[in-house]
Amino acid sequence: MNKFSLDDSSVVVVVGSGAGGGTVSDVLSNNGINVVCLEAGRRLDLTEIVTDEAGMFGKITWLDERQGSGIAPPPFPVWNCKTVGGTTMHWTATGIRLQEHEFSAQSRYGAVKGTTLVDWPLSLAELEPYYSVAEDRLGVTGTHGIERLPESNNYMVFKAGAKKCGYREINTGNLAINSKPRDGRGSCLQLGFCTSGCATGAKWSTLYTDIPAAERSGHFELRPESMAVRVNHDGKGRVTGVEYLDKHGQGHTQSARAVCIAGNTVETTRLLLNSQSDQFPRGLANGSGQVGRNYMRHVMASLVGVMPGQVNQHRGAHQAGIIYDERYHDDGRGFFGGLLFETVSFTPESMARFLRPGSWGRPYTRLLEQYDRMAALLIVGEDPPVETNSITLHPTRKDQYGLPVPVVHYEHHDNSRKLLRYGLDRGRRIYEALGAEQVLELVDVFPATHNMGTARMGDDPATSVCNQWGQTHELDNLFISDGSLFPTSGCANPTLTIIALALRQAEYVASLLRSNSI
Amino acid sequence: MDIARREFLQLTVNLALVSLGGHSVADDTPGWHGGKVLSDVVYQLFPHERLSRDVYMQVTEQLGDSIGQSAELTAMMNNAMEVLSGNSQENWFALSERGKTEAIEKIQHTPFFQFVLNEALSGVYRHPLTWELLGYEGSSLEFGGYIDRGFNDIDWLPD
Ligand SMILES: Cc1cc2nc3c(=O)[nH]c(=O)nc-3n(C[C@H](O)[C@H](O)[C@H](O)COP(=O)(O)OP(=O)(O)OC[C@H]3O[C@@H](n4cnc5c(N)ncnc54)[C@H](O)[C@@H]3O)c2cc1C
Ligand code: SF4
């Protein structure tokens, strides 16, 4: 295992070991570039990943104080992880690509009031090769000849209802979950604990793929329980190192030749804003004032159908299938952008918490007693960028590190309300077509799981933070490597795109380093 | 939502996270009555007739531990008990189910109620006996997963 000294200014510092940071670390180190990865969370031993939802929540979830406003749940606006592997521990592993038109949202949808819709500075064609590599690395089912997962009860209900509604593009999804042993990991046993880390390792997570691969390169040091608090710079438009606190609260500064930040939107924003200086009074790389703005989280809601027979949706992988038919843009629907239906499952506790939040008493427990007959799906829709949806720093409240608490503000745009209504109405028919006794709508109850947009890419430094490589416009050797980069959200779950962008970025960073350009 | 309430919700999240120490509410704490009233309140919140009352008692014990750790929560509980039952066990148990519901409705917008509701929810719905009642089978890792144990056994769907 490598150890790099704090004053070694030849290393690239990567902040975060999740989807983005794990990928960048792996690719750079395996290209012979020395990498130090600072990760705020602990490294779990694989035996610590157990099938106990509440126990795992305490072990891997980001629980430091945050505040939500608007419709973002006040005490817990965002659900992500603080552990080696990041939110690839919680994720349900749907790995799908954006569609071509989603890269040119403004050209396709037009200028829409109240949004900051733009086109991406790169096209699907440019990202395709990286998508393909990403799918291969993750072992995404339904790609590269990898068999899809078998059909589960929850999926079969979903599919049967969807067919009755005339939908055609339905399958068990593109999942970064092994249907057969692959890449040294076993196959899915249908445990149904995907959001608690996967005890079999069938589900892809950087904890047991990219991070060990980086370690084997001989060019990588992981520093867990190391919270980056500030990125330093010189007077010449270059970052010089990262200040962090170790598990004892002791401060250190790791020198760096380049820095890649992949803290997952909220933390990436916070780190940039906290790194303000005389030269960057609004925060590092924030001359445009766009850092922390245009925060997107997808239009998300669930439907729970109380079916005429047993479903037992808890048995098996959470995201066990997708209906793709509604993902296209269609001017005739009265809103722009598309949506996906994906299956989802809930434990009794999460069902009781989200089915009718705040409810109690006998009518509610009677409903919950239908648990074994409940089928559930998730609606994931395109969420337009809105400048006032934002991540900012609380003016006075500090967390245990002494850092200002992040405030996450989110409101639906009108278009999202229309898309949501449409999705709920169409989705409800899926279960009604099979004789559901009732269909419950779970709207505006979930913390965000998909986070995008707060350091958007673009060609114009006045209206964006990074260029198409995720390189900040203002500091040549500072890169953003997570969902913050997305100029618009599309309706696909974001992680495969985060990884494709990270692969493309890592290649670019390696070439800049080799040619001594940074 | 005002700041005080937000902070309170944060507190409930934090409280749910700290591993709870050995303190507990003493039997002679006003309003506690050995937890019988509180336990019945927990039952009224999530009444499952076929669930053993032991589950509610266990959840109440945990609740009592958290309340006992905070002077603020203890004071809030005493207030709540005053509103619910005039601090009398007899009064409370003399109420019909409807009467109990109405009494609880009077406190349902207080931070204390939100705290109790949150704790009761996790306590009741994390309990293995509740899982059994609802048909949730929990971990299957030790049996090799659901892959050969009914993940695809549905038999009532149309062809
Ligand atoms: C329940 C759930 C289900 C999901 N399912 C899917 C899905 O099916 N498909 C999909 O595409 N996406 C899914 N997602 C989203 C997916 O997990 C994220 O998009 C992805 O993990 C983001 O990658 P990232 O690298 O940006 O951040 P993360 O994976 O969250 O990694 C960020 C890491 O940075 C660390 N960090 C943050 N700040 C600092 C700091 N200052 N110093 C040091 N370290 C820091 C964090 O501890 C964390 O480990 C899901 C998310 C959740 C919560
Ligand atoms: S269902 Fe499959 S992917 Fe999910 S936790 Fe179980 S083994 Fe892992």
Side-chain angles (χ1 to χ4, degrees), chain B residues 19-137:
Chain B
S19 66
L20 301 169
H23 306 270
S24 62
V25 187
D27 270 358
D28 56 0
T29 303
W32 177 243
H33 305 306
K36 287 200 187 69
V37 174
L38 192 57
S39 171
D40 196 45
V41 170
V42 170
Y43 176 75
Q44 300 302 330
L45 294 181
F46 298 111
H48 292 287
E49 278 144 46
R50 287 176 292 140
L51 190 59
S52 159
R53 287 289 184 125
D54 291 351
V55 172
Y56 298 97
M57 211 48 227
Q58 286 165 23
V59 173
T60 307
E61 270 164 33
Q62 282 173 20
L63 246 176
D65 284 344
S66 322
I67 294 170
Q69 288 194 344
S70 153
E72 205 184 336
L73 283 172
T74 306
M76 287 181 181
M77 180 182 71
N78 292 337
N79 280 337
M81 287 301 160
E82 183 62 43
V83 177
L84 287 175
S85 64
N87 240 330
S88 143
Q89 233 190 107
E90 291 70 39
N91 285 354
W92 176 259
F93 286 105
L95 292 171
S96 63
E97 184 165 312
R98 175 95 194 265
K100 288 174 181 171
T101 303
E102 283 166 5
I104 295 172
E105 279 165 356
K106 281 190 223 147
I107 62 161
Q108 74 172 337
H109 299 294
T110 63
F112 180 71
F113 176 81
Q114 295 301 327
F115 172 73
V116 171
L117 186 70
N118 183 55
E119 296 286 293
L121 188 151
S122 24
V124 170
Y125 293 99
R126 273 179 206 176
H127 202 289
L129 289 175
T130 315
W131 291 358
E132 204 180 304
L133 174 77
L134 300 184
Y136 174 70
E137 300 148 299

Side-chain angles (χ1 to χ4, degrees), chain A residues 349-412:
Chain A
E349 183 185 353
S350 47
M351 196 64 96
R353 205 170 279 289
F354 293 122
L355 197 55
R356 282 198 189 140
S359 285
W360 53 275
R362 205 167 289 276
Y364 195 44
T365 48
R366 285 217 179 100
L367 175 61
L368 291 170
E369 285 180 5
Q370 319 297 317
Y371 177 81
D372 59 346
R373 291 198 283 124
M374 289 176 181
L377 63 80
L378 190 68
I379 295 165
V380 182
E382 173 147 15
D383 181 18
V386 171
E387 213 180 24
T388 47
N389 285 339
S390 63
I391 292 160
T392 53
L393 303 180
H394 195 281
T396 52
R397 274 193 86 77
K398 300 263 170 31
D399 69 6
Q400 79 272 31
Y401 298 107
L403 300 175
V405 163
V407 181
V408 178
H409 177 76
Y410 180 86
E411 300 277 5
H412 291 300

Side-chain angles (χ1 to χ4, degrees), chain A residues 177 187-195 197-203 316-318:
Chain A
I177 296 179
S187 60
C188 175
L189 297 176
Q190 304 286 348
L191 303 178
F193 280 83
C194 307
T195 57
C198 172
T200 69
K203 181 187 83 170
H318 288 203

